[in-house]
Amino acid sequence: MSLLAVERTTTVFTAEVVETGGLIARIAVLLNPYDVRELELSLDRGELRIVVEGNGFDAGRVAARLEKVIGVLEVAVS
């Protein structure tokens, strides 16, 4: 029996942040319907990294939601 690697589509959102208290909780609620695989906050770099798996969602809409969170300055999507 051989296992085939399944390629999954992922979208990475990276945002510069200035305020961290309560940020993760707000982001988790905001991204509730999406399949979030990674959520990493670097206090040293002041950066939030989110990896969402799957297709069929509007990445621009998710980025716009993230930009509305207090403490998030700019969101990049890759």
Side-chain angles (χ1 to χ4, degrees):
M1 181 169 85
S2 67
L3 298 175
L4 298 175
V6 177
E7 186 172 320
R8 296 191 170 131
T9 302
T10 59
T11 304
V12 178
F13 298 86
T14 307
E16 183 180 349
V17 295
V18 293
E19 187 272 326
T20 58
L23 181 66
I24 297 298
R26 289 193 301 272
I27 297 295
V29 168
L30 180 77
L31 298 175
N32 186 26
Y34 303 105
D35 189 6
V36 176
R37 293 299 174 163
E38 292 179 38
L39 183 60
E40 176 187 336
L41 176 61
S42 169
L43 298 177
D44 292 333
R45 293 187 315 269
E47 183 178 274
L48 174 68
R49 183 173 184 270
I50 302 165
V51 177
V52 177
E53 185 177 308
N55 303 352
F57 67 92
D58 184 348
R61 185 174 179 188
V62 173
R65 282 183 174 189
L66 290 171
E67 287 175 345
K68 291 181 180 180
V69 174
I70 294 171
V72 174
L73 299 181
E74 185 178 325
V75 178
V77 180
S78 58

